[in-house]
Amino acid sequence: AAEAIPAVNHHVALGAGQTLSVQVAGEGGVPATGAEAAVVQLTATDTSSSGYLTAYSGGTRPGTSNVNFVARRNSSTRAIVALNANGALSVYNSNGSTDVVVDVVGYFSDSTGSLTGGALFDPVTPFRLADTRPASAEPYTDTTLGPNTAETIAVAGVGAIPAVVDGSPTAALLNVTEATANAGSYLTVTPSPITPPATTSDVNFAAGEVRANADLAAVSSSGSISVYNLAGNTDFAVDAFGYFVAAAGIHPLAP
């Protein structure tokens, strides 16, 4: 049987066959009751071998994976994970030793949850929202994103996403791609510029890699997002697949 590591704020690497319990309900902006699933960013870092992470609600572990990683390279992905009756989720490590980072970016309410403050999803035909590469002909171009810097990207009123009026977007479903990086770093997407350095990540990458990740990003009241880069120089592209408008359902959070 997998060995379980006691829950909250652990500060201990996850060994082969070990399972980490992570309390979500009652933490950050997630209510103590009424949350059925969480939208999280899962990151494996300081990995000693190849392996995978599985995120699930607890109990019998499914035979699936969320993050597949190799030795000595950060890997991450976005996942929607059911919570158990105590509002926690479990993360299992298959091989070697790895540190695990869980960033919460939103939650889904259950039948007892609040019917206010949530949002309903409207899909759109995918389109490129932003591209910083010099040759790009997309609606947003700029110079390479430098270390410890951020760029603000308009979301509302672009393409099929409505402008900031009644029914304006509260969040957007995006794919964020890093390209041309000259150093290991990460990108963080937030509703408005943050005070660096960011403590959460959306795309983790090494120098010379091209990495992408899905992102459910909260949108600011003015209809924009901010993309932050920790270190080195990199270009990035953002593709939009849909948006959320205020109603019951998903509750996007600033990561």
Side-chain angles (χ1 to χ4, degrees), residues 99-113:
D99 285 314
V100 177
V101 181
V102 182
D103 298 327
V104 179
V105 297
Y107 68 93
F108 290 89
S109 56
D110 63 17
S111 59
T112 69

Side-chain angles (χ1 to χ4, degrees), residues 6-255:
V8 183
N9 300 327
H10 345 275
H11 303 294
V12 60
L14 196 60
Q18 290 186 322
T19 301
L20 181 70
S21 177
V22 181
Q23 184 65 32
V24 176
E27 302 292 328
V30 182
T33 60
E36 185 170 28
V39 185
V40 300
Q41 174 79 358
L42 296 172
T43 302
T45 184
D46 298 326
T47 55
S48 66
S49 69
S50 297
Y52 63 86
L53 300 179
T54 298
Y56 60 109
S57 61
T60 302
R61 175 173 55 87
T64 57
S65 65
N66 295 92
V67 182
N68 295 273
F69 55 83
V70 297
R72 297 176 296 279
R73 182 171 295 181
N74 295 346
S75 297
S76 62
T77 194
R78 187 75 74 211
I80 297 174
V81 186
L83 302 178
N84 65 21
N86 296 320
L89 59 83
S90 296
V91 182
Y92 166 84
N93 174 41
S94 67
N95 297 303
S97 174
T98 182
D99 285 314
V100 177
V101 181
V102 182
D103 298 327
V104 179
V105 297
Y107 68 93
F108 290 89
S109 56
D110 63 17
S111 59
T112 69
S114 170
L115 296 180
T116 61
L120 292 176
F121 180 64
D122 284 310
V124 300
T125 300
F127 69 97
R128 181 139 293 177
L129 187 69
D131 195 334
T132 68
R133 290 170 292 187
S136 169
E138 302 302 332
Y140 176 89
T141 58
D142 201 348
T143 56
T144 298
L145 192 59
N148 213 26
T149 58
E151 293 288 348
T152 297
I153 308 295
V155 174
V158 181
I161 300 177
V164 179
V165 292
D166 290 341
S168 59
T170 60
L173 181 62
L174 310 172
N175 193 67
V176 181
T177 303
E178 161 279 325
T180 71
N182 65 2
S185 182
Y186 59 79
L187 300 179
T188 300
V189 182
T190 54
S192 55
I194 56 178
T195 301
T199 57
T200 61
S201 64
D202 291 287
V203 184
N204 293 268
F205 51 88
E209 287 187 328
V210 176
R211 287 286 187 98
N213 197 19
D215 190 17
L216 195 165
V219 175
S220 73
S221 59
S222 60
S224 65
I225 58 172
S226 177
V227 181
Y228 166 84
N229 175 47
L230 174 70
N233 300 312
T234 187
D235 286 304
F236 66 89
V238 180
D239 299 327
F241 296 86
Y243 61 93
F244 293 83
V245 292
I250 178 66
H251 300 258
L253 303 171

